[in-house]
Amino acid sequence: MIHMLAQLIAECSDYDFKREVEISKPKSWLKSVSAFANGVGGSLYFGVNDNGVAIGLQDVKASCDKISELVSQRIEPRPIYRIIPFLEDGLNLIELRVSPSQSTPYYYRSDGVRIAYIRSGNESIETPNYILNELILKGTGRTFDSIVTGHRIEDFSFAVLKAKFLKRTGTVFSDDDFVSFMLATKDGYLTNAGLLLSDNHPFISCRLFATKWNELDKVNEDEVDDDKEFGGSILRQLDDAILYNARSCDDYGTTKHQSWILSNLTASRLYP
């Protein structure tokens, strides 16, 4: 007998355990269906307690029917999923396997309200607005970077981009390259990707924060030894962060602190 639960140690980003198919409070598990469909997919195991121990289901057919009914009624649009009944140590269990899809976002719908969920660790949480915007773009076959703006190439400088391109390739970055790399349209309008690579882009929330701690647990501000905020071209931000990390490691004179200094180079990419 193949023990499907043997390798599932605890709830995680890819699966949830449910003791039963809750009918009176279906949001308790349907929000995970939404989250799995909006992400990389995942499975719900019914008839399993929170510790991953199989306790079984009384009526597998009725449970399968109710899962199918509630997913159809409450998840919009309808996701791609499979209902897989199986036996584990003589107990009847069900796996609801949800596949990722391109028709995002997938909403949980109840009482006229629609909420999209995503996975965060072993939880399904309401989708923040900036991620919801990305899911909406994904559902239309677009990305934030590919959106054409009303800004023209001649209104922005690209000194960092052109210098790096020349250094890496030995060739000059031409106007045609903006179109080739989908940074601008043929008539000179920048995409969001082109704006982000400019020296003076208008995204005030596109910044990078770096913090050097004097203790490893990083609990309160008293343990902050130094911090910096970097803006401008995302290429410049990356260079500044790498340089800051190198200097911070040199200050300690050892490699012991390198990993946790680097781990605190946190980028903020909450595009409007």
Side-chain angles (χ1 to χ4, degrees):
M1 177 187 298
I2 298 176
H3 293 268
M4 294 183 67
L5 299 180
Q7 298 181 10
L8 307 182
I9 300 173
E11 291 184 336
C12 71
S13 298
D14 298 331
Y15 52 84
D16 271 348
F17 300 141
K18 298 296 176 184
R19 299 178 67 90
E20 60 185 348
V21 181
E22 287 205 48
I23 299 174
S24 60
K25 297 180 179 179
K27 181 182 177 181
S28 64
W29 58 273
L30 282 171
K31 64 183 182 180
S32 292
V33 175
S34 166
F36 290 145
N38 284 326
V40 297
S43 292
L44 282 154
Y45 291 91
F46 295 96
V48 182
N49 67 19
D50 292 340
N51 295 320
V53 178
I55 58 176
L57 296 167
Q58 293 298 318
D59 191 334
V60 172
K61 184 180 184 305
S63 295
C64 289
D65 291 343
K66 186 54 66 174
I67 290 171
S68 180
E69 176 186 335
L70 288 170
V71 170
S72 298
Q73 289 178 351
R74 300 293 182 89
I75 303 297
E76 181 183 287
R78 187 169 182 173
I80 300 172
Y81 66 93
R82 293 176 61 196
I83 301 175
I84 308 170
F86 65 98
L87 282 173
E88 180 93 354
D89 295 330
L91 298 170
N92 291 311
L93 308 175
I94 296 174
E95 177 189 1
L96 172 56
R97 186 179 301 171
V98 182
S99 300
S101 182
Q102 298 299 313
S103 301
T104 56
Y106 290 87
Y107 295 94
Y108 168 73
R109 179 167 54 86
S110 178
D111 299 325
V113 178
R114 298 193 312 166
I115 302 174
Y117 289 87
I118 59 169
R119 293 296 281 183
S120 177
N122 63 350
E123 297 180 306
S124 296
I125 64 170
E126 289 190 26
T127 306
N129 286 336
Y130 72 97
I131 295 181
L132 182 61
N133 289 337
E134 292 177 359
L135 290 173
I136 292 172
L137 288 171
K138 177 184 174 183
T140 60
R142 297 186 298 165
T143 64
F144 174 83
D145 292 347
S146 67
I147 294 175
V148 179
T149 73
H151 298 284
R152 296 192 59 80
I153 293 178
E154 59 266 25
D155 295 329
F156 293 85
S157 62
F158 295 88
V160 177
L161 171 63
K162 292 180 178 180
K164 282 189 171 294
F165 189 82
L166 179 61
K167 183 177 179 180
R168 291 292 185 92
T169 68
T171 57
V172 175
F173 194 93
S174 68
D175 289 343
D176 290 338
D177 289 323
F178 281 100
V179 178
S180 298
F181 289 108
M182 293 184 290
L183 304 180
T185 62
K186 292 181 178 179
D187 50 356
Y189 288 98
L190 290 167
T191 62
N192 279 329
L195 274 180
L196 288 167
L197 289 168
S198 69
D199 302 322
N200 51 331
H201 66 72
F203 296 117
I204 59 174
S205 58
C206 179
R207 295 167 291 167
L208 191 147
F209 304 90
T211 304
K212 182 172 69 174
W213 303 83
N214 54 31
E215 295 292 340
L216 293 179
D217 50 5
K218 305 182 287 293
V219 175
N220 55 60
E221 293 183 1
D222 294 337
E223 297 173 358
V224 175
D225 189 52
D226 185 37
D227 61 81
K228 296 290 184 183
E229 176 182 329
F230 306 116
S233 167
I234 57 175
L235 296 173
R236 173 75 72 184
Q237 291 183 39
L238 181 59
D239 283 345
D240 289 342
I242 292 173
L243 180 60
Y244 178 82
N245 180 61
R247 288 175 175 173
S248 297
C249 293
D250 289 342
D251 288 343
Y252 285 101
T254 68
T255 59
K256 176 182 178 181
H257 301 81
Q258 289 183 9
S259 60
W260 61 264
I261 294 172
L262 185 59
S263 71
N264 283 283
L265 298 178
T266 307
S268 173
R269 291 286 179 266
L270 309 185
Y271 305 137

